[in-house]
Each structure stands twice: as structure tokens, then as C-alpha cells.
Amino acid sequence: MLDAVATPSPYDIDPLETGEWREALCALVQAAGIERAAFVLDALLAQAASLGVRAAGQTRSAYLNTISARQEPPFPGDLAMEERIASINRWNALAMVVRANQAHGELGGHIASYASAADLFEVGFNHFFRAPCEGFAGDLVYLQPHSAPGVYARAFLEGFLNEADLAHFRQEITAKERGLRGLSSYPHPWLMPDFWQFPTGSMGIGPINAIYQARFMRYLENRSLAQPSGRKVWGLFGDGEMDEPESIAALTLAAREKLDNLVFVVNCNLQRLDGPVRGNGRIIDELETLYAGAGWNVIKLVWGGDWDPLLARDTEGALARAFSQTVDGQFQTFAANDGAYNRAHFFNQNPELAALVADWSDEAIDRLRRGGHDIVKIHAAYHRAVRHRGQPTVILAQTKKGFGMGAAGQGKMTTHQQKKLDDQALLAFRDRFALPISDADCVALKFYRPTVDSAEVRYLQARRKVLGGHLPRRRTESPRLPVPTVEQWARFALQADGKEMSSTMAIVRMLSALLKDSTLGERIVPIVADEARTFGMANLFRQIGIYSAQGQLYEPEDIGSVLYYREALDGQILEEGITEAGAISSWTAAGTSYSVNGLPMLPFYIYYSMFGFQRIGDLIWAAADQRARGFLIGATSGRTTLGGEGLQHQDGSSHLIASTVPNCRAYDPAYAYEVAVILEHGMQRMLEEQHDEFYYITVTNENLPQPSMPDANVREGILRGMYRVAAASNANGSIEDTPQVRLLAAGPMLNEALRAAKRLKDEFGVHAEVWSVTSYSELARDGRACERARALGLADAPTQSWIEQCLPGSVPVVAVSDYVRAVPEQIRGWIKGPMRVLGTDGFGRSDTRARLRDFFEVSADWIALHALDLAAGEEPRLADALQRLRGEMHTAQRTDNPWQL
């Protein structure tokens, strides 16, 4: 007999019986071998699942419902009424898409996704999704983007949208011209700010954002900024979407922090856009293993109540075995065919199955529903999910893609692309859902809405009243937060007097001071992705603590140091670990708190700039769509400033990408006082004036002497994008009214430009003025706006852009940046004279800053060379000086372009 190792447990009420079970297993292994024992265990687990028993730690169960028929709670609604409402919404969603594409075939849209998910949505809207109301901030609901037509259809039935709105689905520009509301293709808060809360149109964005929103709710509660209220975060997603890395990136975080305020519903219609999700496997089994292994509570909702009589009669487990041996590609084929086909190819595969349906008609077999189409079963799953404690919950609901579309689309490989239906398909869809629509109205795709006093509308309105009001709805206003004056938290930067520091250290000092402000301090959310020590933020560990849902369960190794690592339940820093996607999701949750929670917060996400817009640009774009407010700080930025880190770490492109995000204000300041002015302005815009914009500021770890702010007059130039820091002067030190050349430089390149100007004057007698360009992208936006206003003949059109005001005449210009040339190239159209652009195109390198700047040809010497080249074109007398400088720099040997190396 094999030894049975027993682990005592306080839950073992009969140790003797437990021992007998263990001995029986050991005996089976000894008598029949390990493979036989494993088979018996699998059979027992399958039988346990059919009884609703789930073993602790089990990550795979039988292909059956987790909740048995006898475990279902009583259904609290009018089932027939809710089925009618769901059918009406299905029709209006379908009519909306088909009408749009009959009129304009290029508009696109989706029918099949909502057709599969309609009941999942309706049960939530009728019984679980709570709206904001007095004293309750409301549940958060992330909706499957391809199902947007169904959400519009419901809002139409509620009376929030009208027929003209539905008639302008995906026609937002046309609708606005007609004084109407256009309906965006997917959930887009930027385009429908009073309706959609969360953008989910880019696959995978919704799941990770939902997890971090649930976590941020707990963060607010544990910091006593919000009271516990039982709010839930719901995420309704697709099974194909789970292949996106962001969809699964934060599953363990949700389990680790015991986010039982989070419920995912994965619509497992077994199809992606082009075909099966797992044609040769079972996606529900795979997702069950994934979520259960990550620590989630898993509820499988596979089969509708029509199957319960068959399962009850199946004493031999033939159905469970057949399910476990059928792959999703075959289930898809079954979905696309009728009852006769399913009898022949599923039930007739063995006598036991055939006997189960021997007295059933083909029509009855055809009506067998999958779990995601059974309102009672869905309610039972949701009911259990919201009552589960200690874990997040995922409901894996099997549906049929294109459910009810019949031969035109149900279960077809092409169903996702189905935009149009012929007359017969429309009539069949109407009949399938027993809709009271005439043949003529059906073929004409008339929208159907019962009268306001109809039983359906009264029922729907009553259900939403119980749940606090209508969803989705988005709060657009929030309390205003006063911003302390810049002198209170950045005097050291305004009056630096040449003290040496990096701009990264300056912004960390400013942040530390702001955290101490009596009003604003507690609303600041510092966020890092495991790089706080890199950025000199370790002092904040002790000052405000690192947020941890478990507090600190250990004594840190560095407990004796001044800057020891302190985790706390009420900690303020979100130190996310090595996950840029997670950190930006936390930033989005904090940056949208003014709308989501009615509580304005101010997030600072501080990170390696290379790992921002390049690595997680899609998440930043979604944050922009969601109207997030806050600061993104590229704290080790530039291609030549982060010396030894090399190619993958040195950022030369983030400012170019940032310039494409409409509500992102991107700045590349050189001095600490510039940083302070930009921070103060951004806080005023976002917290006091409530503009839906955010700020990207790049700072560096290069220690440099910091000048004091010259005077208040430079403030306008700092914010608009450029101001003069050094006028052109002659050998006597007198100011020249007209310089021979202008040097425009951003960020760390400003000091290089100042050195170049000095060399030009001292060695070559060329008078250069130097401008600090805090934002090439803001200059370009201003230039485009002025250009457009003048071309359109607008009454308030400015006569000159800011660039033109700053740089009159046709003086040659050299513009330089620590980023690719395309960044300063943005302003070329408003430079009247010859222009030369220098930048850091190409792959990064590991070396000293001086060698890197020489390699990329952006150092003071190279700035001087290009300035002299331009000046020589205006004044031939400088040709000899230019040739001499070329010789000193050995330019004849620089035959290869740095961006090609």
C-alpha cells in the first residue's frame, strides 16, 4: 500500500472517512496503475461538476454549467416581458446597421456580435447594472464594442435616443450638419461625452482598464477618499478578445488584491472575425484554466435550461462525455445548422445520445439554447457573481454568433462581416423573435418602438428606476479643485540662481511639495512602474507610502535606512511593478476619477519616456478618448541624454507620437522654472477650468546649472511654445537688432545651442540669438490654427502665428531637438528664412552624452557648423570660416549618415 500523506485541516469533520478515501486511491494506483487512477479521478471531477461541486485549486471542470438547475435562485422578473424587450432591441440594432449599409455601403457595422450577446446585456441592464444616483456613484460597465448597436437600440427604447439618431449611426459629421446627434461606431466618450463612459473599441483595452478601475475604487476607499459602497465594475468582452495580451495582463493583480468588486462576462460565441476562436479546442476550457489559475472565481454558463431534462435523464454521463470530445469548430458547425443536422451528427454518434432525444422533434432539438441565450441561467450566474467574496469573478457564457440570423448568418464563418440581409432573411429574423412588425415595415427596416405607455416601455423604465436610472451615462462635471500658486511649491526653481540639478530632480521636488498641500496633496496620485529609485523618488516611500491592499506583512530589508520601502493600506504611491500597461491603466483610472467617481484626482505617471508612447500608445490614445486629465512625465528622456542605456531605452520619437493625440499638450522644457510654469498651467486648466486634456512633459537626469526665471513676461512664451533666452550680441556686448542666425533648441539641446552661439560670436563674429522651444507641437498647432483662420476669412483670425510674431523677417534658422528631425520639422511652414533641422534620427547607442551628441550631430559644434553654413549663404565672406570649421571637425571623414548606422 502506498503511503497517503494527509494534511490536517480544521474543515475535516470526519478524518476517518477522509483517510478511507485516501487509502482507496492508493489501492487503485497499486492495483491498476497511475493512468487508471487519473482516469477515475477525472470521471469523479466531471461528476462533481454536474453536482455543482468544485474542488479547491481545480482549474478545469466538466463542459457543463457551474450552477446546476436546482441551485438557481428564483427569477425575479417577468420572463416573457424581458424576452420581448430583448427581441425588440435585437431588431432595432439589426435595422440600424442594415439601413446604414443599404444607404452607404462603406459605413460598416456589426450585427452578429450583439445578436449573440443581447441576453447577456439585457439581464445586466434589467437586474444588475446600477446607475449613479443620490449617495451612490454607480456601477461601471465596460461594454463589448462590436455590440454598440444593441446599446443604442436600448437607449432608443428608453427614449434617450430618437429615430433620427438611429438613422445616423456611423454618420456623425452628417448628423451634426443637420443639427442631429450622430452615433459613434464604438463606445467613444470623446464623441458622445454624455453617453459612453469607457472606450473599448481597441480590443484588449477594456479588460485591463476595468481591472485597474476596480483597483482604484479600493485605493480611494482605503485612503478614506471614498466610502465603501458596494459598487461593481462589470466587463462584457468577447472570447476572441482574450488573445490580446492586455486582456490577461492584470488577471493576477485582480486576484492578488481580492477585487470582488469586479465581474467579467466573456461572451464565448466561439468565433473571431474570420472563424473559430479555437477551432481545434475549446476556448471555454482554456479560459477556465487561465482565470482559475490566476485566482479568479469561474462560473461556466454553457447550456440553457432546455438541456436540463436531457442532463437529468443522462445517468450514464453520455452528454458530458460528448461535450468534452467536441471541439469549438464542430460546435460552430452545429450552430450553423438545423435540428435535423444536429440530430444526425451530434446525437446519433452513439446509442446513448440518440436515446435521449428519440422522442424529440427536429424542431425541439433546433430550439436547444446555449447558456448565454437563457435569461434565467444568466440571472443565476450574475446573482452568484455579485455575492461572491474574496475573488474577482468571470462568467464564461457560451452563445451562438449571429444568434437568430438563421441561414443568413448564425454560426457562419462570415457572420462578423454580415452587414446586409435580404428580404427573406429579415422576415425570418422577425418571425424567429415573434416581433409585431408588418411585412412591409420589416422589409423597409422600420425601427420599432412601442408607445411610452406600453407594457414593455413601462417595465423597462421601472427596472431602470429600481437600479438608479439609465445606463450608459457619463458625468461631465465635477467639483473644481483650487491650485496652489507656483511660488508655494516651486520657489527653488523660479529662483534657482545657477544651482545645479536635473529637471527630473526638479519635478520630483515639486511633486513632493505639492503632496504637502493641505487641499491638493491628498488628491495627487504618484504612479511609477518599478522605477521610483531611478527617478529619485525614494524619499516618498516613507513620506506617503506605497499603496498595498494587504498593508505590509513583512519587515523590509532596509528598515533601518532613512528611505526604507514602506507599503501601507493607505499608501499614496501606486508602484505597479514592471508593467507599463498596468501603470498607464492606473493613470487612466485616476485621470478619469472626476467623471467616474465625481472625485477629481491628479495623477503623475513618471516613467522612462521610451516606454510610454511607443510601448503603450494605444492605451494612451484610449485615455485621451476617455477625456483623462493628468500628467505623463517622461523622466529619463531624449536620445542622447540617457547616455549608457542604449538603443532600446533612448527615446527619440515620443514627442512625435504625442503630437498626434489631439488633447495631449506635449512639452520638452530645458529649465526647472519652465517645468514649474507648465505644471501650474496644466493644473489650472485641468482642475480649475476643467478642460479635458492631459500633459506630457519630458525631463532629464542631466545635472545642469539652473538659471532663475528672467521675469513674468516669459510665461506666455513658455506655454505657447518658445521664447528668447539670449539675444544676439556683437563683440562689444551690444544687442544686435537683427541677428545673422537664429538657434531654436528644445530641452537638453538648449545648452548646446547657447554654447554654439558663443562660439559663433567669439570665433567667427556671427551674431546668433537663441530661443528655448518648450513645445514644437504646440507651435505647430498654433500655426495651423492661424493659417486656417486666415484662409477661411474668420472674423477673429490672428494676423500672425506665435512663430511669426517671435521670428520676423527671413533670418536663417537652425532648429534642434533631442528627438527625430520630424519633431522640429513641424514648424517649417511658418519660418520665412532658410531653415536647417537637426535631430537624432536612427538607433540609439551606449556612450557618454558628449559622444552621443557628436555621433547624432546635434552638439554645439554641429549646431555652429549648420548655422555658419546658412549664414555663409547670406554672407559670402563667411565661406572661409565655414571651411575652417569643417576642417577642425574633420567633416570629410563623416561620410555615413548617423541614421543609417
Side-chain angles (χ1 to χ4, degrees):
M1 180 70 65
L2 297 176
D3 292 334
V5 180
T7 302
S9 168
Y11 304 106
D12 190 353
I13 60 174
D14 192 342
L16 182 62
E17 181 185 33
T18 305
E20 291 173 351
W21 280 99
R22 288 197 181 96
E23 289 178 4
L25 176 61
C26 292
L28 179 61
V29 171
Q30 189 175 46
I34 290 176
E35 291 183 357
R36 171 62 182 166
F39 174 81
V40 172
L41 276 177
D42 285 342
L44 285 172
L45 287 171
Q47 183 65 25
S50 69
L51 298 172
V53 178
R54 188 183 187 92
Q58 182 185 351
T59 60
R60 179 72 64 86
S61 63
Y63 203 71
L64 298 168
N65 293 342
T66 301
I67 303 171
S68 66
R70 61 184 177 81
Q71 294 173 318
E72 293 169 9
F75 183 70
D78 183 328
L79 181 58
M81 180 66 71
E82 292 190 23
E83 288 177 338
R84 283 205 302 279
I85 292 171
S87 296
I88 294 169
N89 288 337
R90 288 178 194 273
W91 169 259
N92 287 328
L94 177 146
M96 188 189 324
V97 176
V98 177
R99 279 178 63 162
N101 283 276
Q102 282 186 350
H104 307 281
E106 67 203 75
L107 291 178
H110 304 280
I111 301 170
S113 293
Y114 179 70
S116 67
D119 295 308
L120 298 172
F121 279 55
E122 286 303 307
V123 172
F125 282 121
N126 285 328
H127 299 282
F128 294 95
F129 302 161
R130 297 167 297 175
C133 56
E134 186 66 30
F136 182 69
D139 293 336
L140 311 183
V141 187
Y142 287 76
L143 296 162
Q144 188 180 18
H146 288 134
S147 294
V151 183
Y152 293 140
R154 186 169 229 275
F156 171 63
L157 201 59
E158 293 173 356
F160 184 73
L161 299 179
N162 59 40
E163 190 166 329
D165 296 328
L166 267 60
H168 286 85
F169 172 61
R170 294 195 172 199
Q171 298 167 73
E172 295 154 284
I173 299 170
T174 302
K176 188 172 183 180
E177 289 174 350
R178 297 173 179 174
L180 302 170
R181 175 202 289 267
L183 302 184
S184 60
S185 54
Y186 303 117
H188 290 304
W190 189 263
L191 300 174
M192 298 180 67
D194 61 343
F195 191 76
W196 294 116
Q197 276 189 297
F198 307 111
T200 53
S202 183
M203 299 287 96
I205 299 299
I208 192 169
N209 275 347
I211 289 172
Y212 279 89
Q213 280 284 8
R215 193 279 203 96
F216 194 71
M217 281 185 185
R218 291 288 168 80
Y219 170 87
L220 293 176
E221 292 171 3
N222 288 330
R223 289 191 54 217
S224 300
L225 293 172
Q227 294 301 312
S229 61
R231 297 172 70 195
K232 296 286 185 183
V233 177
W234 293 82
L236 283 77
F237 308 117
D239 49 357
E241 185 176 1
M242 293 298 111
D243 284 341
E244 291 284 3
E246 293 89 352
S247 295
I248 61 175
L251 297 185
T252 54
L253 169 82
R256 187 168 65 249
E257 300 209 359
K258 298 180 173 57
L259 298 180
D260 52 18
N261 59 342
L262 178 65
V263 180
F264 276 11
V265 181
V266 182
N267 175 22
C268 298
N269 59 32
L270 315 184
Q271 284 185 250
R272 296 191 305 261
L273 276 64
D274 294 332
V277 178
R278 292 292 182 274
N280 296 311
R282 281 180 299 280
I283 188 61
I284 288 180
D285 284 348
E286 181 180 321
L287 294 179
E288 178 184 27
T289 299
L290 173 68
Y291 279 90
W296 287 52
N297 173 45
V298 180
I299 298 174
K300 290 166 74 171
L301 174 56
V302 189
W303 307 111
D306 313 298
W307 291 88
D308 286 340
L310 298 179
L311 289 165
R313 290 162 55 186
D314 182 28
T315 57
E316 301 300 318
L319 262 181
R321 286 194 300 274
F323 292 151
S324 70
Q325 295 164 5
T326 305
V327 296
D328 283 355
Q330 192 61 49
F331 279 127
Q332 182 189 4
T333 302
F334 292 147
N337 286 279
D338 60 14
Y341 181 93
N342 278 266
R343 181 193 298 276
H345 293 85
F346 179 75
F347 287 105
N348 285 352
Q349 61 183 291
N350 62 58
E352 292 85 359
L353 287 177
L356 289 175
V357 293
D359 56 345
W360 282 41
S361 67
D362 289 345
E363 290 74 19
I365 293 174
D366 192 48
R367 290 281 180 167
L368 284 168
R369 290 173 296 174
R370 296 184 181 177
H373 301 307
D374 188 321
I375 288 175
V376 173
K377 296 283 187 185
I378 297 167
H379 176 270
Y382 287 10
H383 182 272
R384 178 173 290 190
V386 298
R387 286 161 176 77
H388 187 78
R389 295 293 177 264
Q391 292 173 290
T393 292
V394 61
I395 298 167
L396 305 175
Q398 184 175 206
T399 64
K400 295 179 181 180
K401 192 157 190 175
F403 180 65
M405 292 172 66
Q410 180 172 288
K412 301 288 187 183
M413 292 286 191
T414 58
T415 191
H416 191 82
Q417 281 71 36
Q418 192 77 37
K419 320 292 183 193
K420 300 178 182 179
L421 299 176
D422 61 25
D423 292 353
Q424 289 305 117
L426 291 170
L427 293 168
F429 187 94
R430 176 203 61 185
D431 295 341
R432 169 68 180 80
F433 293 105
L435 291 159
I437 304 173
S438 69
D439 287 0
D441 286 350
C442 182
V443 172
L445 291 165
K446 291 282 187 70
F447 296 122
Y448 175 69
R449 180 162 63 185
T451 60
V452 293
D453 60 348
S454 66
E456 293 88 350
V457 172
R458 284 189 285 109
Y459 183 88
L460 182 149
Q461 299 287 10
R463 292 307 311 154
R464 287 312 312 166
K465 185 176 181 180
V466 169
L467 294 169
H470 297 291
L471 282 177
R473 296 292 187 275
R474 181 181 174 276
R475 181 191 288 111
T476 58
E477 293 293 329
S478 70
R480 299 175 188 271
L481 276 181
V483 174
T485 62
V486 66
E487 289 78 12
Q488 293 177 258
W489 46 271
R491 185 178 299 277
F492 75 92
L494 303 179
Q495 301 172 7
D497 296 327
K499 293 186 181 68
E500 191 171 284
M501 73 180 79
S502 69
S503 51
T504 294
M505 184 52 63
I507 204 168
V508 170
R509 283 186 63 180
M510 294 173 199
L511 177 61
S512 298
L514 285 167
L515 284 163
K516 296 172 184 175
D517 183 77
S518 59
T519 301
L520 183 61
E522 67 177 5
R523 301 296 186 91
I524 293 174
V525 184
I527 303 168
V528 289
D530 200 46
E531 293 158 336
R533 296 186 193 277
T534 302
F535 307 139
M537 297 173 63
N539 65 306
L540 297 182
F541 292 168
R542 187 167 185 174
Q543 179 183 332
I544 58 174
I546 299 161
Y547 173 74
S548 169
Q550 293 81 36
Q552 191 156 26
L553 307 179
Y554 62 94
E555 182 176 278
E557 172 274 330
D558 57 356
I559 187 67
S561 70
V562 175
L563 306 178
Y564 70 90
Y565 196 82
R566 183 174 75 87
E567 298 187 75
L569 187 64
D570 61 350
Q572 196 163 347
I573 303 171
L574 290 174
E575 214 277 8
E576 300 296 10
I578 303 175
T579 167
E580 286 84 7
I584 193 65
S585 296
S586 272
W587 182 86
T588 302
T592 57
S593 180
Y594 72 93
S595 172
V596 170
N597 305 304
L599 185 70
M601 305 293 288
L602 184 63
F604 285 78
Y605 173 28
I606 305 177
Y607 60 93
Y608 264 82
S609 65
M610 189 62 161
F611 305 143
F613 280 87
Q614 171 182 290
R615 193 166 191 169
I616 49 173
D618 202 14
L619 283 157
I620 292 174
W621 189 262
D625 186 354
Q626 200 173 330
R627 298 171 175 262
R629 303 170 183 172
F631 291 101
L632 298 174
I633 309 297
T636 45
S637 60
R639 182 148 284 160
T640 69
T641 306
L642 190 58
E645 290 294 284
L647 184 151
Q648 200 81 2
H649 284 62
Q650 292 169 341
D651 170 28
S653 59
S654 67
H655 272 284
L656 184 62
I657 305 172
S659 71
T660 68
V661 182
N663 55 341
C664 175
R665 305 285 172 254
Y667 289 90
D668 186 20
Y671 296 140
Y673 70 76
E674 295 175 348
V675 175
V677 169
I678 295 164
L679 280 183
E680 182 190 43
H681 175 72
M683 289 190 289
Q684 289 171 342
R685 292 274 296 176
M686 295 182 290
L687 299 179
E688 292 185 350
E689 300 171 27
Q690 300 207 14
H691 292 281
D692 294 337
E693 59 191 29
F694 63 97
Y695 287 72
Y696 175 52
I697 304 174
T698 47
V699 288
T700 78
N701 60 347
E702 184 175 7
N703 285 327
L704 295 169
Q706 296 288 338
S708 295
M709 185 169 169
D711 56 60
N713 293 330
V714 304
R715 178 183 172 85
E716 181 182 13
I718 291 171
L719 297 175
R720 295 190 70 172
M722 66 183 293
Y723 68 102
R724 191 171 69 179
V725 295
S729 61
N730 57 31
N732 299 322
S734 300
I735 301 300
E736 293 284 341
D737 292 333
T738 303
Q740 292 168 274
V741 67
R742 289 172 171 141
L743 309 181
L744 280 54
M749 294 297 102
L750 181 58
N751 280 321
E752 300 292 333
L754 288 167
R755 284 195 288 271
K758 186 176 186 303
R759 185 175 187 187
L760 287 167
K761 183 184 74 170
D762 293 348
E763 296 185 26
F764 307 108
V766 173
H767 311 138
E769 67 179 16
V770 182
W771 293 74
S772 175
V773 179
T774 54
S775 179
Y776 282 110
S777 58
E778 286 298 294
L779 289 174
R781 286 173 176 173
D782 174 73
R784 288 192 293 268
C786 294
E787 196 173 67
R788 175 184 178 274
R790 290 199 298 266
L792 271 57
L794 301 183
D796 58 349
T799 57
Q800 288 185 312
S801 68
W802 183 248
I803 302 173
E804 291 165 326
Q805 292 177 53
C806 292
L807 308 179
S810 56
V811 176
V813 167
V814 177
V816 61
S817 163
D818 206 13
Y819 293 82
V820 294
R821 283 169 171 78
V823 174
E825 279 285 359
Q826 296 176 88
I827 69 169
R828 183 181 287 274
W830 301 278
I831 303 293
K832 301 309 180 186
M835 181 180 181
R836 190 71 49 80
V837 168
L838 306 182
T840 55
D841 300 68
F843 286 118
R845 298 288 196 281
S846 295
D847 216 307
T848 64
R849 293 187 181 105
R851 295 303 300 271
L852 287 168
R853 287 168 186 169
D854 176 65
F855 173 82
F856 283 107
E857 301 176 2
V858 293
S859 67
D861 288 344
W862 289 96
I863 296 171
L865 176 72
H866 285 279
L868 199 55
D869 185 38
L870 288 175
E874 304 290 317
E875 299 181 52
R877 69 175 180 82
L878 295 173
D880 290 343
L882 173 61
Q883 194 59 35
R884 186 172 81 250
L885 182 55
R886 287 171 178 165
E888 292 175 6
M889 294 176 61
H890 307 290
T891 59
Q893 300 173 20
R894 305 283 290 241
T895 56
D896 293 325
N897 295 322
W899 57 86
Q900 294 176 325
L901 296 174

